[in-house]
Each structure stands twice: as structure tokens, then as C-alpha cells.
Amino acid sequence: MGDIAKGVLGGAWTLLVGWILPTALNLSVFFFAVAPSLHHIDLAQRLWPSSKVNTAVLLLTVSLLLGLVVSAVQTLLYRLLEGYVLWPATAYDARCRSHRQTKRDLRDRLALLRLEGREREGGLPPEAARQLADLRASPRIARAARRDRLRTSAQRALLQERLIRYPIDDDQVAPTRLGNAIRRLEEYGYDRFRLDTQVLWGELTGTAPEQVRRHEELARASVDFFIALLYGHAAVAAAALAALASGDADRPALLTTAAVLVALIPLWYRSAVTATDEWAAAVRALVNVGRKPLAESLGLALPSELAAERTMWTLVSRLSRLPYHERAAALDPYRADPQPPLVWPPVPPPTPPRPGS
């Protein structure tokens, strides 16, 4: 019973922090900054609470209901910010090309700094020297290198941080920074082990150690918080601008509210992108630690060789994603030996009583 309560409360905590709390914050801004300009409307007068206690109850109730609704449509909200929904094809392709170029530039800038450091330490082999000359000859990289050489070690580490927020495969690059930051964690299992976490996510999280799975949920909740805050700010700012049309609107308050909220939206977006770093670390731990219990739960034995393991997970992912085909029998060599049935020793018959006893 205690384990059940712990699981329910754990799921409620991520829902509370990720969606209900930011919804309550946005509604509070609406209640205190926008709603006073709507009091003259008959519907608002009838619905508005008559006391502070009733106002708090209304705020809590609406926050809970809207938080649940926003959580239910979170996939759509994420995909819009990732660039997968409502993006014209031309804009999608242009932004993907731009991010691929940014990724290449970051990689080349870091390579230039690394090669120059090796050159100062004692020379380079011919191939590395040619690579260094090519990088120095690039006008784009040369301009950035002049600034990069003035950076401290910590500032150069930020360049590496920006680079690792991109997926390794250029074909997986998304049109937005958030899309790329999330795509790199979705790509990790497949790139390292050919374990398609998008297909086997339910099985992986169902068999992973509790502490690792909980870490992933909490890390995801941090990103959810900023996503909900961002959308809520946009909705309240739109409501503030729409309220300007009312006759008794407090125009300075509404304009200030809309301006502040719109100015904060890029901050929450950047915060969401940064928060994916912890989420990516949690998913990495989930894949690294959860592969063995996942294989065991599927009746498979984890191979000792990495190449064989990659082949095994390719077959498992394909079997889960595609209809059954005879080629799935290639998974048989990876199946664990069945345990022999437990045989109890025979029970000796009872000894008959002796005559006359």
C-alpha cells in the first residue's frame, strides 16, 4: 500500500510542478492585472467571487482544471515549439539548414581552438596541420576565432555545451533550438546501442531502477514548467491586449502587463532549452542502466560484445515497430536459456502402522 501511495504522489508531484503550478502563476497575473479591466462586463460581474476566500478557491480550482487540460495536450505544445507542427515546409527547411550550419560552425570553432592548443604544445602531424590551415582559411571560422581566442576556459566550455545540444546525425536536426535539444536525448539510445527509446520507452521505464526512472521524471518536469509558463504568458498577454477594447480598461496596466509578459517569453524558452541538459543526463542514465533489466524482462541475454548488442537491439526495435516477419527469427540466438521447471522431490508414502501397535 505504501508503494502505491508513493507512486501516485510521485506522479502527482511532477504534474503539480510541471503544469499546475505555472498555470496558477499565469492565472494569478490574469486575475490581478487583466481581470479588473473586465469587471464592467455582465458575465464577469456574475462570475466574479464576492470575497477573498472565494477568489482564492476559484483561482485554485481553475488552476487545477487548466493545468490538467494543458498537461493532456502537452505533446502538441511541445511539437509546436520543436518545429514539427504548423511550420510551413519552406520555413522548416530553411531553419534546419541554418541549424546544420550553426552546428558545423561550432564544431569547426572548437576544432580550431583544440588544434591551435596542440600546435603551441609542440607541433602537429601533417594531416592535423592541413586541417588547421583549412580552418584558418575559412572567413566564417576566422571571424569567430578572433573572439574565441579571447574567451576563458569556462566560456569555451559553453561552446561545447551549445554543440552537444544538437543531435549527432545531421539528418535528425530540427528547425528550433528546443527541438534539437530534445532530439539529442531521443537519439542517444539508438546512436550508442541501436536501442530505439521512442519505440521501447514504455518497456524501458517499466523495468529501469526506480531511482533512475524518478530522476528522468523530475528532470522532465523542469522543462514542462518553463513550457507551461511560456504558453501561459502568451495567453495572458493576448488577453491583456484584447482587454484594451473594453470601455473601462486600465490601459497603462494592460500595456505594461502585456509588454512584460512578452519580454519574458524568450527567457522561459532559453530556460527550457537549458533545462533539457539535466533531462538528457537522466535519459542517458536510463539507457545505460536500464538496458540489462530490459533485456532480462524480454527474455533476452545481453551479449558481451557491443556489436552483437547493437544487432540485438536493432532486431528488438524492429520487432516492436513492424508487423511480424519470418526474419524476426534472427533474434533467437539472443534469447535467454529457459529455466528448467522446479521439480519437487517425491514425498515418500506414509509408513503403515505396525501390527498390534
Side-chain angles (χ1 to χ4, degrees), residues 21 101 103 147 161 171 175 192-193 200 280 295 314 335:
L21 178 58
Q101 185 61 55
K103 176 187 172 184
R147 299 190 302 270
E161 190 177 85
D171 291 336
R192 267 60 166 191
F193 307 104
L200 298 171
T314 299
R335 296 175 65 87

mmCIF file of all heavy atoms in Angstrom, residues 21 101 103 147 161 171 175 192-193 200 280 295 314 335:
data_model
loop_
_atom_site.group_PDB
_atom_site.id
_atom_site.type_symbol
_atom_site.label_atom_id
_atom_site.label_comp_id
_atom_site.label_asym_id
_atom_site.label_seq_id
_atom_site.Cartn_x
_atom_site.Cartn_y
_atom_site.Cartn_z
ATOM 1 N N LEU A 21 1.378 24.302 -11.277
ATOM 2 C CA LEU A 21 1.999 25.476 -10.663
ATOM 3 C C LEU A 21 2.189 26.627 -11.654
ATOM 4 O O LEU A 21 1.794 27.766 -11.362
ATOM 5 C CB LEU A 21 3.326 25.077 -10.021
ATOM 6 C CG LEU A 21 4.129 26.212 -9.380
ATOM 7 C CD1 LEU A 21 3.311 26.900 -8.301
ATOM 8 C CD2 LEU A 21 5.448 25.694 -8.813
ATOM 9 N N GLN A 101 24.209 24.463 -40.267
ATOM 10 C CA GLN A 101 25.371 25.324 -40.438
ATOM 11 C C GLN A 101 25.920 25.777 -39.089
ATOM 12 O O GLN A 101 27.137 25.811 -38.874
ATOM 13 C CB GLN A 101 24.996 26.531 -41.291
ATOM 14 C CG GLN A 101 26.169 27.449 -41.630
ATOM 15 C CD GLN A 101 27.238 26.733 -42.427
ATOM 16 O OE1 GLN A 101 26.961 26.157 -43.485
ATOM 17 N NE2 GLN A 101 28.479 26.761 -41.951
ATOM 18 N N LYS A 103 25.689 24.178 -36.294
ATOM 19 C CA LYS A 103 26.348 23.010 -35.693
ATOM 20 C C LYS A 103 27.740 22.808 -36.288
ATOM 21 O O LYS A 103 28.710 22.563 -35.555
ATOM 22 C CB LYS A 103 25.475 21.768 -35.922
ATOM 23 C CG LYS A 103 26.096 20.476 -35.423
ATOM 24 C CD LYS A 103 25.260 19.278 -35.831
ATOM 25 C CE LYS A 103 25.981 17.983 -35.499
ATOM 26 N NZ LYS A 103 25.230 16.791 -35.966
ATOM 27 N N ARG A 147 37.231 36.091 -31.737
ATOM 28 C CA ARG A 147 36.532 36.250 -30.460
ATOM 29 C C ARG A 147 36.789 35.063 -29.542
ATOM 30 O O ARG A 147 36.935 35.227 -28.336
ATOM 31 C CB ARG A 147 35.031 36.407 -30.701
ATOM 32 C CG ARG A 147 34.659 37.634 -31.532
ATOM 33 C CD ARG A 147 33.153 37.837 -31.522
ATOM 34 N NE ARG A 147 32.436 36.654 -32.031
ATOM 35 C CZ ARG A 147 32.118 36.471 -33.296
ATOM 36 N NH1 ARG A 147 32.479 37.376 -34.213
ATOM 37 N NH2 ARG A 147 31.461 35.385 -33.681
ATOM 38 N N GLU A 161 29.025 23.123 -24.814
ATOM 39 C CA GLU A 161 27.675 22.881 -24.311
ATOM 40 C C GLU A 161 26.639 23.151 -25.392
ATOM 41 O O GLU A 161 25.651 22.418 -25.517
ATOM 42 C CB GLU A 161 27.431 23.768 -23.090
ATOM 43 C CG GLU A 161 26.169 23.463 -22.323
ATOM 44 C CD GLU A 161 26.040 24.323 -21.088
ATOM 45 O OE1 GLU A 161 25.537 25.468 -21.209
ATOM 46 O OE2 GLU A 161 26.455 23.875 -20.004
ATOM 47 N N ASP A 171 20.868 14.461 -40.154
ATOM 48 C CA ASP A 171 19.514 14.234 -40.647
ATOM 49 C C ASP A 171 18.469 14.386 -39.551
ATOM 50 O O ASP A 171 17.270 14.486 -39.844
ATOM 51 C CB ASP A 171 19.398 12.842 -41.271
ATOM 52 C CG ASP A 171 20.191 12.727 -42.566
ATOM 53 O OD1 ASP A 171 20.436 13.779 -43.202
ATOM 54 O OD2 ASP A 171 20.574 11.601 -42.934
ATOM 55 N N PRO A 175 14.221 22.262 -36.655
ATOM 56 C CA PRO A 175 14.281 23.687 -37.023
ATOM 57 C C PRO A 175 14.368 24.647 -35.840
ATOM 58 O O PRO A 175 14.494 25.850 -36.057
ATOM 59 C CB PRO A 175 12.972 23.897 -37.794
ATOM 60 C CG PRO A 175 12.048 22.875 -37.248
ATOM 61 C CD PRO A 175 12.888 21.690 -36.922
ATOM 62 N N ARG A 192 24.087 4.977 -29.613
ATOM 63 C CA ARG A 192 25.081 4.174 -28.897
ATOM 64 C C ARG A 192 24.830 2.681 -29.022
ATOM 65 O O ARG A 192 25.760 1.910 -29.229
ATOM 66 C CB ARG A 192 25.082 4.555 -27.415
ATOM 67 C CG ARG A 192 26.084 5.620 -27.024
ATOM 68 C CD ARG A 192 25.872 6.915 -27.756
ATOM 69 N NE ARG A 192 26.626 8.021 -27.152
ATOM 70 C CZ ARG A 192 26.462 9.278 -27.461
ATOM 71 N NH1 ARG A 192 25.553 9.623 -28.378
ATOM 72 N NH2 ARG A 192 27.186 10.221 -26.879
ATOM 73 N N PHE A 193 23.580 2.262 -28.868
ATOM 74 C CA PHE A 193 23.297 0.827 -28.762
ATOM 75 C C PHE A 193 22.274 0.325 -29.773
ATOM 76 O O PHE A 193 21.908 -0.853 -29.729
ATOM 77 C CB PHE A 193 22.780 0.512 -27.348
ATOM 78 C CG PHE A 193 23.677 0.999 -26.251
ATOM 79 C CD1 PHE A 193 23.353 2.129 -25.518
ATOM 80 C CD2 PHE A 193 24.859 0.341 -25.962
ATOM 81 C CE1 PHE A 193 24.183 2.581 -24.508
ATOM 82 C CE2 PHE A 193 25.689 0.789 -24.957
ATOM 83 C CZ PHE A 193 25.351 1.914 -24.220
ATOM 84 N N LEU A 200 10.577 1.726 -27.550
ATOM 85 C CA LEU A 200 10.611 0.886 -26.353
ATOM 86 C C LEU A 200 10.576 1.702 -25.064
ATOM 87 O O LEU A 200 11.035 1.222 -24.021
ATOM 88 C CB LEU A 200 11.878 0.014 -26.381
ATOM 89 C CG LEU A 200 11.987 -0.953 -27.552
ATOM 90 C CD1 LEU A 200 13.357 -1.607 -27.594
ATOM 91 C CD2 LEU A 200 10.900 -2.020 -27.452
ATOM 92 N N ALA A 280 18.529 15.289 -20.522
ATOM 93 C CA ALA A 280 19.369 14.428 -21.355
ATOM 94 C C ALA A 280 20.255 13.530 -20.491
ATOM 95 O O ALA A 280 20.459 12.350 -20.810
ATOM 96 C CB ALA A 280 20.229 15.281 -22.284
ATOM 97 N N ALA A 295 16.484 -6.130 -21.133
ATOM 98 C CA ALA A 295 16.762 -7.365 -21.868
ATOM 99 C C ALA A 295 16.257 -8.582 -21.092
ATOM 100 O O ALA A 295 15.652 -9.497 -21.667
ATOM 101 C CB ALA A 295 18.258 -7.483 -22.140
ATOM 102 N N THR A 314 18.615 -3.701 -32.459
ATOM 103 C CA THR A 314 18.030 -3.396 -33.765
ATOM 104 C C THR A 314 16.885 -4.349 -34.064
ATOM 105 O O THR A 314 15.805 -3.939 -34.511
ATOM 106 C CB THR A 314 19.097 -3.487 -34.868
ATOM 107 O OG1 THR A 314 20.127 -2.530 -34.612
ATOM 108 C CG2 THR A 314 18.490 -3.219 -36.239
ATOM 109 N N ARG A 335 18.038 -15.047 -27.280
ATOM 110 C CA ARG A 335 17.072 -15.394 -26.244
ATOM 111 C C ARG A 335 17.769 -16.141 -25.114
ATOM 112 O O ARG A 335 18.644 -16.971 -25.345
ATOM 113 C CB ARG A 335 15.942 -16.237 -26.830
ATOM 114 C CG ARG A 335 15.114 -15.474 -27.866
ATOM 115 C CD ARG A 335 14.089 -16.360 -28.525
ATOM 116 N NE ARG A 335 13.085 -16.824 -27.579
ATOM 117 C CZ ARG A 335 11.981 -16.161 -27.259
ATOM 118 N NH1 ARG A 335 11.751 -14.983 -27.825
ATOM 119 N NH2 ARG A 335 11.119 -16.645 -26.414
#
